Amino acid sequence: MENLLKEALAMQDWLIDTRRTLHRIPEPGNEEIKTSQAICAQLDALGIPYTRIGTGVVGLLEGARSGRCIALRADMDALPIEEPQDRPYASQHPGYMHACGHDAHMTIALGAAKLLARRRHEFSGSVKFLFQPAEETTGGAKPMIEAGCLENPHVDFVLGLHVIPELPAGQIEVKPGPFYGASDNLEIRIKGKSSHAAYPEQGIDAIVAASAVVQMLQTIVSRSISALDSAVITIGKIQGGTRSNIIASEVVLTGTIRTLSEQVRKFIGASVEEVCAHTAAAYGASSEVHISPSYPVLVNDEAATEFVRQTAIQVLGAPNVHLRQKPTLGVEDFAYYLRERPGAFWHLGCGKHPPLAADSVGSISAGATAALHSPDFDIDESCLPIGVALQASTAMRWLLDI
Ligand SMILES: [Zn+2]
Ligand SMILES: [Zn+2]
């Protein structure tokens, strides 16, 4: 495994170049045209065959003999954020930026493909590379699965990662069990009756009823969920009324529900409907609730997470491998793969850090200090070989059963 890290460090120039090429061409979800072309060109160069699912790309590297299959997933899409132009590798697509590090994820998957392709005669089984569109928007994982990306050959283990600037480059963290939350989009329509503002008794004030609904919704989390469980109900937008001297007939509340278990998720969904109906009724109003489910809870397999942790300890040393205690209420559509197969999703530190090895080559970017989804976000590019070494080592150890 030490050799894999050395080899990954030796390809740092190529990794930086690949990452910057992808960074310059950010594209939104399901429009990753140039991005997928760049990926296919790299896979062609490595002699790795691939199939296409929409703008997604599924590469398949086969070993010496048949055997198990491990999949490495990388998301491809960028965000509608304007990038400052002071970086030499800044976005050339106005209005879009790789501000969530998906350029790094794709680069790491390609780097792992390059390392593993050199060793294809040493292992049985195969490695699948899932380049997946639209993580930030509609969720590309589910359509990829429905199109059969986990079959032919049957995937037995799924592996994914996300860069995080909160950890310095050179360090990683893993978390067994629930890691990312489930998200549901919420739209509530409160219906009253319009009248003159001076004669509220002649109407049903949807704004007053909606205000009560907003307050009551918060009591679901504080009074109906165990203090040891986690949930968030956020109303992020209120729209209603026409002008100052008219009682509003309708208010629309939109928001999001975040939970960490399917049980709590289901309970909150039912409670929201009930609270809205009864609260609105207390004011003589009525309610319509529409909950559209988004990503499910991301639950890491315990054994697979431990396998990644042990690999990381071998490659990076125990002090650089953290066991995260608390999950996050952010979301990640890698959750869909983990509902189908055992596997693990882990965090790769991309925060500012001195280069790992004194002899490492290439110019390292200034380093990441800003949060994901911020126009100032950047990675410390010395995290790229770390990601490559870990994904490749985990795949090798698992295929060799060591
Ligand atoms: Zn993101
Ligand atoms: Zn992301």
Side-chain angles (χ1 to χ4, degrees):
M1 298 307 140
E2 262 176 35
N3 287 341
L4 281 170
L5 179 59
K6 272 186 200 150
E7 282 181 46
L9 287 167
M11 62 165 74
Q12 183 143 274
D13 277 352
W14 179 82
L15 291 169
I16 290 173
D17 190 52
T18 304
R19 181 255 165 169
R20 292 184 178 189
T21 301
L22 292 167
H23 192 85
R24 287 187 188 101
I25 51 165
E27 295 167 299
N30 293 321
E31 293 175 33
E32 301 93 339
I33 308 292
K34 289 182 187 168
T35 306
S36 57
Q37 282 167 357
I39 287 166
C40 292
Q42 293 284 3
L43 293 174
D44 282 333
L46 292 171
I48 296 177
Y50 51 83
T51 51
R52 303 292 312 267
I53 300 174
T55 50
V57 183
V58 180
L60 182 65
L61 173 68
E62 292 187 294
R65 292 163 298 278
S66 62
R68 300 194 288 180
C69 177
I70 183 167
L72 309 187
R73 174 271 209 166
D75 38 10
M76 303 163 74
D77 54 328
L79 289 158
I81 291 176
E82 190 72 48
E83 181 166 20
Q85 290 296 307
D86 52 359
R87 299 166 188 158
Y89 45 89
S91 166
Q92 293 172 356
H93 187 173
Y96 290 93
M97 175 188 171
H98 267 298
C100 200
H102 299 183
D103 51 337
H105 303 166
M106 291 182 277
T107 303
I108 288 167
L110 288 167
K114 196 169 175 154
L115 270 195
L116 292 165
R118 290 178 191 162
R119 289 174 148 76
R120 64 194 308 170
H121 303 296
E122 293 174 31
F123 60 83
S124 301
S126 55
V127 186
K128 215 178 248 192
F129 299 92
L130 304 175
F131 293 95
Q132 175 219 301
E135 197 286 326
E136 300 282 2
T137 53
T138 51
K142 202 166 173 247
M144 291 268 289
I145 294 167
E146 284 165 358
C149 76
L150 296 178
E151 297 298 341
N152 297 318
H154 182 89
V155 171
D156 308 282
F157 190 122
V158 283
L159 200 53
L161 64 81
H162 207 294
V163 291
I164 55 158
E166 291 81 5
L167 266 185
Q171 300 188 10
I172 74 140
E173 65 177 10
V174 296
K175 159 97 183 57
F179 191 176
Y180 281 74
S183 166
D184 294 299
N185 298 317
L186 184 59
E187 188 187 279
I188 302 164
R189 207 167 277 269
I190 304 295
K191 290 181 173 172
K193 189 175 148 218
S194 185
S195 71
H196 192 293
Y199 314 112
E201 74 279 8
Q202 293 174 2
I204 296 170
D205 193 338
I207 285 184
V208 171
S211 306
V213 165
V214 172
Q215 297 289 327
M216 283 299 287
L217 286 173
Q218 294 310 315
T219 66
I220 298 175
V221 175
S222 67
R223 302 290 84 185
S224 304
I225 303 284
S226 161
L228 299 175
D229 283 326
S230 301
V232 168
I233 302 175
T234 291
I235 297 297
K237 187 173 158 189
I238 302 181
Q239 259 183 320
T242 47
R243 55 175 290 166
S244 61
N245 60 356
I246 299 173
I247 298 280
S249 64
E250 189 173 282
V251 173
V252 180
L253 311 170
T254 44
T256 182
I257 303 170
R258 300 290 170 100
T259 46
L260 281 168
S261 80
E262 286 302 321
Q263 198 190 353
V264 172
R265 186 185 195 187
K266 232 173 152 181
F267 176 83
I268 288 192
S271 298
V272 165
E273 300 218 13
E274 213 170 302
V275 161
C276 288
H278 290 120
T279 309
Y283 291 82
S286 63
S287 69
E288 264 172 38
V289 177
H290 186 69
I291 297 173
S292 44
S294 182
Y295 300 168
V297 183
L298 185 151
V299 185
N300 269 332
D301 181 77
E302 304 265 341
T305 309
E306 183 56 20
F307 191 82
V308 170
R309 193 176 79 91
Q310 291 301 336
T311 309
I313 289 171
Q314 284 184 26
V315 176
L316 300 177
N320 293 316
V321 180
H322 305 282
L323 192 58
R324 184 181 170 121
Q325 299 302 319
K326 289 182 184 164
T328 160
L329 282 168
V331 295
E332 168 57 64
D333 77 349
F334 191 79
Y336 287 105
Y337 302 105
L338 289 172
R339 289 214 296 197
E340 303 294 323
R341 302 289 192 272
F345 190 76
W346 55 277
H347 281 166
L348 174 71
C350 70
K352 197 177 170 119
H353 190 273
L356 248 192
D359 61 348
S360 64
V361 283
S363 57
I364 303 296
S365 64
T369 46
L372 291 167
H373 290 211
S374 142
D376 296 322
F377 173 74
D378 199 357
I379 61 162
D380 183 326
E381 289 168 324
S382 68
C383 76
L384 297 171
I386 304 291
V388 169
L390 279 186
Q391 293 299 67
S393 302
T394 306
M396 275 301 274
R397 277 191 69 215
W398 190 75
L399 290 171
L400 295 171
D401 206 10
I402 53 171

